[in-house]
Amino acid sequence: MSKLYIVPTPIGNLKDITFRAIEVLKEAHLILAEDTRTSGKLLKHFEIATPMQSHHMHNEHKTIDNLIQKLKAGTTIALVSDAGTPAISDPGFLLTRACIENNIDVECLPGATAFVPALVNSGLPNDKFVFEGFLPVKKGRQTRLLLLAEETRTMIFYESPHKLIKTLGHFCEYFGADRQVSVSRELTKLFEETVRGTAKEVLEYYTNKPPKGEIVVIVGGKK
């Protein structure tokens, strides 16, 4: 029977891919890739010759019907994003939902995702936490921050390097300058870095040392 496989890919170090992920990518009839150029490098490294098709946030609404028809016709499809687990702040949710609505099997493989090592590395409580992903850029940002200022669980955010200073400044403003923060950057890569301290301390650090790369921010909950 056909099936949609959700396949996590390394967030940096290629050794973090699982044997099972390689097996599924080799045996699938089609791989859906967020960026075929990025995924092409991964497939070449592991000698995977499965055909690829582009599937990203700008075309996923238009391609879902066709993909559902392929799955119903017996095609086994593997979905990957540029790095990490698809559908976690990446394309994947819409196709997964459509498959479930059409009684098509969906299986998500365990594997790499950026927020788990960042959360564990932070040293902040991780028995209960909330994943916020990217904050609203403009509309709704203040409302969201005011709401999260009362959150007692540890919070997880994704952020881009050029917006990190602004976001840390907002954490100082809305959560308090002494709120505990941990910033993990370039996880599993050569220049991996985790900076821990108060919101004010971490803001000062990155004001003096502008950040680069993929970033996960962990913020302690209100006490």
Side-chain angles (χ1 to χ4, degrees):
M1 293 180 63
S2 63
K3 181 184 286 190
L4 173 68
Y5 286 97
I6 312 296
V7 183
T9 55
I11 60 175
N13 193 320
L14 293 181
K15 295 178 182 178
D16 289 335
I17 199 165
T18 67
F19 292 122
R20 186 171 171 223
I22 294 172
E23 181 180 84
V24 167
L25 292 174
K26 285 184 175 181
E27 294 181 356
H29 299 124
L30 176 67
I31 295 172
L32 301 180
E34 186 179 4
D35 186 327
T36 54
R37 294 166 298 180
T38 300
S39 295
K41 296 174 184 177
L42 178 73
L43 300 190
K44 182 178 180 181
H45 181 83
F46 289 107
E47 300 180 344
I48 298 169
T50 307
M52 280 191 295
Q53 178 179 319
S54 180
H55 184 79
H56 49 73
M57 63 180 294
H58 301 295
N59 74 356
E60 58 180 336
H61 290 84
K62 301 175 183 177
T63 59
I64 283 178
D65 289 344
N66 179 259
L67 292 172
I68 292 298
Q69 292 306 313
K70 286 184 176 181
L71 285 158
K72 286 183 175 180
T75 303
T76 296
I77 296 178
L79 171 67
V80 299
S81 58
D82 289 347
T85 301
I88 304 295
S89 292
D90 279 325
F93 163 69
L94 294 178
L95 180 57
T96 300
R97 182 176 64 181
C99 286
I100 292 169
E101 290 172 348
N102 285 272
N103 296 315
I104 295 168
D105 284 345
V106 177
E107 185 172 349
C108 182
L109 276 60
T113 190
F115 78 78
V116 174
L119 174 62
V120 175
N121 274 340
S122 73
L124 291 167
N126 55 32
D127 54 331
K128 294 179 181 178
F129 58 88
V130 56
F131 176 76
E132 284 292 319
F134 289 96
L135 282 166
V137 177
K138 293 181 180 179
K139 186 178 180 181
R141 187 179 180 92
Q142 183 182 44
T143 301
R144 193 69 196 158
L145 286 166
L146 286 168
L147 178 67
L148 291 173
E150 301 302 315
E151 176 61 65
T152 58
R153 295 169 293 181
T154 299
M155 294 169 279
I156 303 168
F157 301 90
Y158 285 167
E159 192 51 279
S160 59
H162 65 281
K163 293 178 182 175
L164 179 63
I165 301 300
K166 175 183 177 181
T167 297
L168 290 171
H170 282 159
F171 290 163
C172 288
E173 179 182 352
Y174 290 93
F175 300 165
D178 60 347
R179 186 71 70 94
Q180 289 296 306
V181 169
S182 175
V183 174
S184 288
R185 188 178 64 81
E186 293 290 85
L187 285 166
T188 80
K189 300 176 184 176
L190 182 61
F191 297 105
E192 177 177 341
E193 174 185 65
T194 295
V195 177
R196 308 171 186 87
T198 65
K200 181 181 179 181
E201 290 169 343
V202 177
L203 173 59
E204 289 175 350
Y205 176 88
Y206 282 113
T207 298
N208 295 320
K209 185 181 178 182
K212 297 179 181 179
E214 301 291 328
I215 292 170
V216 186
V217 185
I218 312 296
V219 182
K222 181 179 180 180
K223 295 182 179 179

